[in-house]
Amino acid sequence: MGFFAGCLILYVVGGPRVMGGDTTAWQAVLPVLVLCAATAFRSTLPPLAVAVGTVTVLVEMTSSGGLGPVLIYTDLLYAAALYGASWLCRLLQFGTVAVTLATTIALIALGNRSEGVTTGVIVALLLISPVWTGVLIRNHKERADAERERAAQINRLAELDRKTVLQTERTRMARELHDLVANHLSAIAIHSSAVLSLSEAKREQEGGRDDGGEEDPVLRALAVIRENSVQGLAEMRRMVVLLRSDRGVDDDWDRPQLNALGALVEQARPAADAAALTLHTDFPESFPEVSSVIEVTAYRIVQEALTNVLKHASAGRVRIRCEAGAEQLTISVDSPLARPDGRARQRPVAQLTTGAGAGLAGMSERATLVGGIFDAGPDRTAPGRWRVRAVLPLTQNA
């Protein structure tokens, strides 16, 4: 439509001479309509568009020689050089140069050198200029596409290298966990089970209990050790499988749940009783459904806080509290502070473990990764107490 409107303006302003001399209106408009129709498929079918345009212009030049069709034909040449196949682009490059040279030489040979050179320059501007402009833009576009493809290939190679390095590191971590931690847990489970089996056999040989039916606290502690070591070994093996796998954690993974917090506290009661610690829980009747990330984070924070209480707290009352609001989950563990003289409690676990701060750092990192808040330290509102508090958002996306 733009080309057609421009040609009509030339016809109205310049008169019939601009459109090819003394011709009727339909003779001037018909070639323009044909060329405008050819421009509709200049990018999809460049060879056909150039062929139609060439025939139309040749007919127009032999009959009247209007300016409008020639201007439209230059756009067809440009589009063919830009969108056409490689063979068509090369054909137009050599063809336009050949036509320009042939026209110039023919006119000079006829004896009018000045007219021949002038006409050659005009033909070059109308034929060679649009073709070579299209070739330059085409080459620039091809180089840009090649650079983009090269950059995409480099990114793919870098991603493959990153995945390879990550999988190698995960495999190394899995091997270290299996060879070091899992083996130690296996030894603890085996030895505690052996001691319990020997105790059971000894009681059977002695004809049963003679202590009034009360269970030996040492045996009860050994049972807890065995249960926790077996559970820890199972979780360790699942973690090793996940590290060796090339996929992440899915919904089928047996992850810790908020509803299991009560069972976690009950497992810690025998050790707490041996350390003169009284565990009190304040959990809601039912926890809201949250993402697996929040669920695992809350469970691990309570688990690590209980471990620190058993290792470091002095005798007294321990309160584990969990509050589920509309948008956040608040976890707090309050326990007595250990005495500065180190005589807070006299139990073997105090002598076997030393605090390195990794537990607090791990809890803080877990809470931060899910967008929560973590705080641990002496409770300012209750002197002599240590408080661990974590606020986790319930809207965290899995």
Side-chain angles (χ1 to χ4, degrees), residues 223-243:
V224 173
I225 292 173
R226 181 183 62 179
E227 182 180 356
N228 282 274
S229 60
V230 171
Q231 182 181 0
L233 185 61
E235 292 185 3
M236 183 66 64
R237 286 174 176 169
R238 285 196 294 268
M239 186 60 64
V240 169
V241 172
L242 288 174
L243 287 174

Side-chain angles (χ1 to χ4, degrees), residues 210-226:
D210 55 357
D211 54 1
E214 295 182 0
E215 187 179 0
D216 188 351
V218 176
L219 297 179
R220 187 172 64 227
L222 282 173
V224 173
I225 292 173
R226 181 183 62 179

Side-chain angles (χ1 to χ4, degrees), residues 166-179 237-247:
L166 179 61
Q167 186 60 35
T168 302
E169 183 64 18
R170 286 165 60 120
T171 303
R172 186 189 68 81
M173 292 173 59
R175 184 173 59 252
E176 295 296 330
L177 285 174
H178 180 270
D179 294 343
R237 286 174 176 169
R238 285 196 294 268
M239 186 60 64
V240 169
V241 172
L242 288 174
L243 287 174
R244 290 185 181 275
S245 175
D246 57 352
R247 62 184 180 89

